[in-house]
C-alpha cells in the first residue's frame, strides 16, 4: 500500500468511505467488475422449446443417470461400489454437482451454492459411510472422530445486532427477560415434540404420524402464534433459520419444517441451557463441492456435461433417453436397461413420457424457492466493527440476505489476505417475483443489493471489492409449504426416482440417501 492510500485510510476513519473518496479526488468510486456465472438458464429453457426431434446418434449403456447433482452422483457411487461400471450420467451444466458446485475467483475457491454439512446422525448412515470413505471420520478407540481440518474452525458464527457483532446467531446482547423466557419456552416445546414424534434426517426414516401431519398442515408462523411465541427476536431468528434451510420464512413453510430444522438435529438450546454452542459442521473453501468433486472424479468420462435431457421414454425392454448436447447442437439417444431420474421433480414431470400419476401430483404440489448467491472477491480483509471477531458465518440482523461465509476461514495461515465472501439471498417468500427478477435484472442490480446489504456492517466493502460473481437458481430447492405429508414411491418400472425434491426440502443428506438407494437398488437387481 502506498503512502497516499495510507492518508485516505486515516481520513476514512473520520469521514467514512464515501467522503474519503471525494476528498481524495477520486470522483466516482471505481467500477467493480463481475457478471453472472455458474448456471445456464437457457439450457433449462431448451426443454420448453424442444419439439420431438429425431436423434442424430444413438448410444448404449446399462444404467443412465439423468441429472448430476448430489443425488445423481450418489447413485453413480452406489453403482460403482457394487461393480456396476456400465453407466452414463447426463448433466445440464458444465460440471456435475448441481447446487453443490464450486467457483474460482483469481485462484481462490468458493462455493456457488451449498457450503456446509452438519455431522450426520445415525439415520444418515449412508452419508456417514461416505465421510468414512473420504477420510473425514474414523473410529478411534471406539469413538468416531472427525478430521479437524474439515470441521468448521472457531469462531463459527456471529450476528451483527444493534450496531455490534455478537457471538452466535441468536440475538442475545441487550435483550430483555421476556425474550429469554420465550427462548426457553420454544426450546422446551421442541424437546416435547422430539419425545412425541421422530424427526429423522433423511425424512424417509421417520414415520408419518397424525402429529407430524397436523404440524405439516399449518404454517410455522401460525403454530408459533398459537403457542404465544411472539417475541420479535425469537421470531426473527426462526424466520432466518427457515430462510437459511428452506429458502422461505415462517409465514410460508410448514410448522413441521420449522420444527424439523431443530428437532432433526440437536434441538434448540436457550442461553444457559444444555449445549448452547454452535453445532459442529464440515466445511471447505469451495463448500460442498469438496464432496461432489470427489464423488464425480471416479466416474471419469462416464459423466457427460452440457446435456439437457429432453425426453425419458420407458419402453418394453428398456429406456430411451434423448438429450441435447449443447456443444454440438446434436440430439443423442441413449438406450439403457434402467434410468435413475435424478432430476428436480418439475423437470421429471416434463421429460418423463406418460409420467406416472405420482410424479405429476408431486410436481403440482411442490413449490420452489429461487436463490441468488454472490461471490465477492476482496483484495484485503474488511475492517471490523467492535464485538465478536470475524467468523465463518456472519449474519446481519434484519437483513433480506442471510449474511456471508468467508472462503478463507479454514485457512491455517494466520495472516488474513485477499479472500472471497459468499453472500446468500433466498427469494422464496415471493417466488414468482424472485424468479422474474433473476431473469430480468442485470447483474449490476444484484451487485448494488449486496453492497447495500453488507455495507451496514462493513462500510469499507466497496473500497476492497474487486469483483462480484452472481449465480442464479430459478428453481433452487423444494420449499416445504403446508400440505399433507406423502411417502412417494421411488420406482416405476425401469425408472428410479432420486432427488432431494422427493423429501419436500433440500439438504445434502436427503439428496445423497435417495441417490444411494436408487443406485443400490439397481445394482441389487443384477444377475
Ligand atoms: C444456494 C443454495 C445453498 C445451499 N446450501 C446448502 C448447504 O450448505 N448444505 C446443504 O446440505 N444443502 C444446501 N443446499 C441444498 C442443496 O440443494 C442440496 O444439498 C443438494 O445439493 C441437492 O442435490 P440434488 O441432487 O437433490 O439436486 P440438484 O442439485 O438440483 O441436482 C439436480 C441436477 O440435475 C440437473 N438438471 C436439471 N435439469 C436437467 C435436464 N433437463 N437435463 C440434465 N440435467 C438436468 C441440474 O443441473 C443439477 O445438476 C443449498 C442449495 C442452494 C440452492
Amino acid at each position: 500500500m502506498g503512502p497516499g492510500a495510507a492518508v485516505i485510510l486515516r481520513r476514512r476513519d473520520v469521514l467514512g468511505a464515501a467522503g474519503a473518496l471525494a476528498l481524495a479526488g477520486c470522483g466516482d468510486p471505481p467500477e467493480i467488475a463481475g457478471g453472472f456465472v455458474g448456471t445456464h438458464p437457457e439450457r433449462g429453457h431448451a426443454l420448453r422449446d424442444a419439439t420431438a426431434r429425431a436423434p442424430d446418434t444413438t448410444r448404449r449403456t446399462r444404467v443412465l443417470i439423468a441429472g448430476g447433482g448430489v443425488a445423481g452422483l450418489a447413485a453413480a457411487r452406489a453403482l460403482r461400489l457394487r461393480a456396476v461400471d456400465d453407466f452414463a450420467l447426463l448433466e445440464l451444466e458444465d460440471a456435475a454437482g448441481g447446487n453443490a458446485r464450486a467457483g474460482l475467483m483469481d485462484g481462490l475457491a468458493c462455493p456457488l451454492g451449498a457450503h456446509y454439512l452438519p455431522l450426520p446422525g445415525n439415520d444418515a448412515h449412508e452419508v456417514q459411510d461416505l465421510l468414512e470413505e473420504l477420510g473425514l471420520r474414523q473410529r478411534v478407540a471406539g469413538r468416531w472422530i472427525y478430521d479437524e481440518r474439515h470441521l468448521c474452525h472457531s469462531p463459527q458464527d456471529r450476528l451483527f445486532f444493534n450496531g455490534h457483532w455478537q457471538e452466535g446467531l441468536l440475538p442475545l446482547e441487550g435483550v430483555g427477560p421476556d425474550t429469554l423466557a420465550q427462548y426457553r419456552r420454544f426450546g422446551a416445546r421442541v424437546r416435547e415434540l422430539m419425545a412425541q414424534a421422530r424427526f429423522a434426517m433423511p425424512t424417509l426414516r421417520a414415520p408419518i404420524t397424525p402429529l407430524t401431519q397436523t404440524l405439516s398442515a399449518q404454517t410455522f408462523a401460525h403454530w408459533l402464534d398459537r403457542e404465544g411465541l411472539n417475541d420479535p427476536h425469537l421470531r426473527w431468528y426462526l424466520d432466518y433459520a427457515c430462510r437459511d434451510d428452506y429458502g422461505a420464512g415462517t409465514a410460508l413453510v410448514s410448522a413441521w419444517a420449522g420444527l424439523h430444522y431443530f428437532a432433526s438435529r440437536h434441538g434448540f438450546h436457550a442461553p444457559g441451557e444444555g449445549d448452547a454452542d454452535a453445532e459442529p459442521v464440515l466445511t471447505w473453501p469451495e463448500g460442498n463441492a469438496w464432496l461432489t468433486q470427489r464423488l464425480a472424479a471416479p466416474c471419469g468420462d462416464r459423466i457427460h456435461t452440457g446435456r439437457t435431457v429432453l425426453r425419458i421414454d420407458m419402453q418394453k425392454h428398456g429406456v430411451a433417453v434423448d438429450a441435447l448436447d449443447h456443444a454440438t447442437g446434436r440430439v443423442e439417444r441413449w438406450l439403457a436397461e434402467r434410468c435413475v431420474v435424478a432430476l428436480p421433480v418439475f423437470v421429471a414431470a416434463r421429460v418423463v413420457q406418460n409420467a406416472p400419476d405420482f410424479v405429476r401430483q408431486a410436481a403440482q404440489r411442490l413449490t420452489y424457492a429461487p436463490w441468488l448467491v454472490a461471490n465477492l472477491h476482496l483484495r484485503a480483509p474488511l475492517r471490523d466493527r467492535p464485538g465478536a471477531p470475524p467468523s465463518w458465518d456472519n449474519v446481519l440482523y434484519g437483513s433480506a440476505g442471510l449474511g456471508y461465509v468467508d472462503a478463507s476461514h479454514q485457512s491455517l495461515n494466520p495472516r488474513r489476505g485477499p479472500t472471497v465472501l459468499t453472500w446468500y439471498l433466498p427469494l422464496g417468500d415471493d417466488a414468482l417475483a424472485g424468479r422474474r427478477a433473476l431473469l430480468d435484472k442485470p447483474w449490476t442490480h444484484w451487485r448494488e443489493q449486496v453492497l447495500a446489504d453488507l455495507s451496514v456492517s462493513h462500510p469499507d466493502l466497496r473500497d476492497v471489492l474487486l469483483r462480484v460473481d452472481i449465480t442464479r437458481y430459478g428453481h433452487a430447492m423444494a420449499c416445504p409449504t403446508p400440505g399433507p405429508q406423502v411417502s412417494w414411491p421411488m420406482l416405476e418400472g425401469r425408472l428410479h426416482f432420486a432427488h432431494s425434491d422427493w423429501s419436500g426440502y433440500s439438504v445434502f443428506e436427503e439428496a445423497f440417501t435417495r441417490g444411494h438407494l436408487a443406485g443400490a437398488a439397481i445394482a441389487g437387481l443384477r444377475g
Side-chain angles (χ1 to χ4, degrees):
M1 186 187 286
V7 171
I8 292 174
L9 269 184
R10 276 199 298 276
R11 287 181 183 174
R12 238 173 235 159
D13 290 338
V14 182
L15 295 167
L21 282 167
L23 270 179
C26 300
D28 291 336
E31 189 62 16
I32 297 158
F36 290 125
V37 301
T39 54
H40 295 86
E42 71 287 356
R43 289 191 190 166
H45 295 163
L47 270 180
R48 290 202 303 230
D49 314 327
T51 45
R53 222 177 100 182
D56 299 295
T57 54
T58 300
R59 305 176 72 166
R60 285 174 197 279
T61 186
R62 181 151 174 247
V63 183
L64 191 287
I65 303 171
V70 169
L73 291 170
R77 169 177 169 275
L79 290 170
R80 276 193 297 105
L81 292 182
R82 288 159 183 76
V84 178
D85 292 313
D86 183 11
F87 65 84
L89 183 153
L90 306 182
E91 165 54 40
L92 176 140
E93 298 293 354
D94 291 334
N99 291 340
R101 282 171 301 135
L104 202 60
M105 297 189 87
D106 198 25
L108 298 168
C110 53
L112 288 186
H115 53 295
Y116 73 99
L117 177 67
L119 304 190
N122 291 341
D123 285 321
H125 54 84
E126 292 88 352
V127 180
Q128 292 181 335
D129 290 348
L130 170 73
L131 301 187
E132 201 180 333
E133 176 188 316
L134 296 177
L136 292 170
R137 72 178 221 147
Q138 55 174 313
R139 221 171 162 78
V140 178
R143 282 182 58 221
W144 286 104
I145 305 285
Y146 280 85
D147 185 334
E148 292 208 349
R149 286 170 303 174
H150 306 287
L151 283 174
C152 184
H153 298 169
S154 185
Q156 188 159 312
D157 38 40
R158 64 175 181 168
L159 178 68
F160 192 69
F161 179 52
N162 292 336
H164 184 90
W165 286 107
Q166 60 139 75
E167 253 178 59
L169 299 183
L170 191 64
L172 284 183
E173 294 188 3
V175 302
D178 291 352
T179 298
L180 295 173
Q182 289 224 353
Y183 289 167
R184 284 194 294 275
R185 200 143 66 75
F186 179 68
R189 284 299 281 133
V190 172
R191 280 192 295 282
E192 277 167 32
L193 289 164
M194 286 168 82
Q196 291 164 10
R198 236 162 84 63
F199 289 86
M201 193 185 291
T203 50
L204 48 73
R205 304 249 147 88
I208 296 172
T209 65
L211 173 59
T212 61
Q213 288 284 25
T214 303
L215 294 171
S216 230
Q218 55 189 308
T219 65
F220 193 25
H222 178 75
W223 184 86
L224 289 164
D225 288 344
R226 283 190 37 194
E227 294 280 330
L229 291 164
N230 51 10
D231 176 77
H233 298 112
L234 174 69
R235 293 295 283 260
W236 171 82
Y237 176 73
L238 298 178
D239 199 61
Y240 158 81
C242 289
R243 293 189 303 127
D244 188 42
D245 244 28
Y246 307 130
T250 52
L252 280 193
V253 309
S254 72
W256 173 85
L259 292 158
H260 177 82
Y261 178 92
F262 301 101
S264 64
R265 295 175 174 135
H266 297 117
F268 174 93
H269 300 282
E273 278 183 352
D275 180 8
D277 284 350
E279 191 176 319
V281 299
L282 294 160
T283 189
W284 303 269
E286 65 273 50
N288 289 4
W290 193 93
L291 296 166
T292 54
Q293 286 167 355
R294 280 160 181 76
L295 287 168
C299 297
D301 61 8
R302 287 171 290 189
I303 293 183
H304 304 263
T305 57
R307 307 302 206 272
T308 300
V309 170
L310 302 173
R311 292 163 62 86
I312 299 177
D313 196 4
M314 190 165 54
Q315 301 170 339
K316 196 165 174 204
H317 300 294
V319 186
V321 177
D322 288 354
L324 175 63
D325 176 351
H326 291 276
T328 62
R330 290 154 68 91
V331 172
E332 295 168 343
R333 172 156 298 173
W334 289 82
L335 298 176
E337 286 173 26
R338 298 208 157 244
C339 177
V340 178
V341 186
L343 299 168
V345 169
F346 78 101
V347 179
R350 192 180 276 265
V351 300
V352 173
Q353 304 301 294
N354 304 312
D357 282 348
F358 75 85
V359 175
R360 275 182 288 189
Q361 280 168 19
Q364 269 167 12
R365 196 169 287 186
L366 283 179
T367 56
Y368 287 86
W371 277 74
L372 180 133
V373 178
N375 275 298
L376 287 76
H377 181 204
L378 309 188
R379 63 179 163 75
L382 293 163
R383 280 186 296 143
D384 217 31
R385 292 288 189 92
S391 303
W392 167 65
D393 194 10
N394 306 265
V395 176
L396 280 66
Y397 186 83
S399 149
L402 297 172
Y404 63 89
V405 292
D406 184 342
S408 305
H409 186 73
Q410 296 295 97
S411 163
L412 297 176
N413 185 346
R415 268 198 68 202
R416 293 172 65 213
T419 190
V420 178
L421 306 183
T422 310
W423 180 78
Y424 290 89
L425 180 66
L427 294 165
D429 281 331
D430 188 348
L432 277 181
R435 209 165 285 132
R436 179 97 333 262
L438 288 184
L439 282 177
D440 290 350
K441 302 278 187 202
W443 74 270
T444 46
H445 166 87
W446 303 110
R447 177 190 66 189
E448 293 313 308
Q449 185 161 344
V450 60
L451 272 162
D453 187 52
L454 293 184
S455 293
V456 173
S457 53
H458 298 293
D460 58 329
L461 174 59
R462 198 178 273 276
D463 308 332
V464 291
L465 185 55
L466 293 171
R467 184 178 173 85
V468 182
D469 281 347
I470 309 282
T471 306
R472 295 169 292 173
Y473 298 94
H475 295 80
M477 52 169 69
C479 188
T481 50
Q485 290 186 309
V486 184
S487 177
W488 302 103
M490 299 320 301
L491 176 68
E492 173 78 11
R494 295 172 176 277
L495 305 183
H496 299 250
F497 291 89
H499 187 275
S500 53
D501 280 4
W502 293 103
S503 302
Y505 78 106
S506 191
V507 290
F508 186 92
E509 298 91 317
E510 299 288 350
F512 186 85
T513 307
R514 289 183 178 275
H516 178 89
L517 294 178
I522 293 176
L525 295 169
R526 225 179 163 202

